[in-house]
Amino acid sequence: QAEVVKDGQRANLDLQKKSQEALLEALAESESTTNKQDQDKALLSSRIVQIEQQLAQQIEDSVDQARKDAEDRSTTSEQMIAKLQMKQSEMEGISTELDQERT
């Protein structure tokens, strides 16, 4: 009878040991999954920051290009106005000469 009790206790201890091992294994797997998720979150956060920086740079470049284009157009307009004023002066000079020749 004592032998049967000892066998029962051993079986119970083995069962407890296997149960603890299974729990430890599940805990380790859960920690591994959590670590992986944390790594994934960190990678995503890093990627988001990188994309935000790229977008900010692209916006800054676009604004700079638009400003440069506007300055170029302004310069071109000023040059055209200067040319037209020179032509106008020439025409006025020619008109004055023609008027003088007529008289």
Side-chain angles (χ1 to χ4, degrees), residues 11 14 32 35 37-38 40 47 60 72 87 97-98:
D14 283 347
S32 173
N35 288 341
Q37 288 173 343
D38 289 346
D40 289 348
R47 185 68 180 130
E60 188 177 325
D72 289 350
K87 287 283 187 192
E97 285 179 23
L98 288 174

Side-chain angles (χ1 to χ4, degrees), residues 10-52:
R10 275 191 208 115
N12 193 17
L13 286 174
D14 283 347
L15 188 60
Q16 285 180 353
K17 185 178 177 184
K18 286 180 182 176
S19 177
Q20 286 177 345
E21 288 173 353
L23 283 173
L24 286 174
E25 189 175 308
L27 181 61
E29 211 172 290
S30 174
E31 285 180 7
S32 173
T33 300
T34 301
N35 288 341
K36 176 74 170 117
Q37 288 173 343
D38 289 346
Q39 288 174 349
D40 289 348
K41 284 179 187 176
L43 284 173
L44 284 174
S45 293
S46 173
R47 185 68 180 130
I48 287 170
V49 168
Q50 185 181 16
I51 289 170
E52 287 173 341

Side-chain angles (χ1 to χ4, degrees), residues 6 8 17 28 36 59 65-66 71 77 88 100:
K6 282 185 180 181
K17 185 178 177 184
K36 176 74 170 117
I59 290 168
Q65 186 62 47
E71 288 171 358
S77 295
Q88 183 180 16
Q100 287 174 355

Side-chain angles (χ1 to χ4, degrees), residues 84-100:
L84 288 172
Q85 287 172 338
M86 286 175 47
K87 287 283 187 192
Q88 183 180 16
S89 294
E90 284 179 32
M91 297 298 272
E92 287 172 356
I94 292 172
S95 177
T96 302
E97 285 179 23
L98 288 174
D99 285 345
Q100 287 174 355

Side-chain angles (χ1 to χ4, degrees), residues 63-74:
V63 168
D64 288 346
Q65 186 62 47
R67 188 175 292 124
K68 183 181 178 302
D69 291 348
E71 288 171 358
D72 289 350
R73 281 193 297 275
S74 175

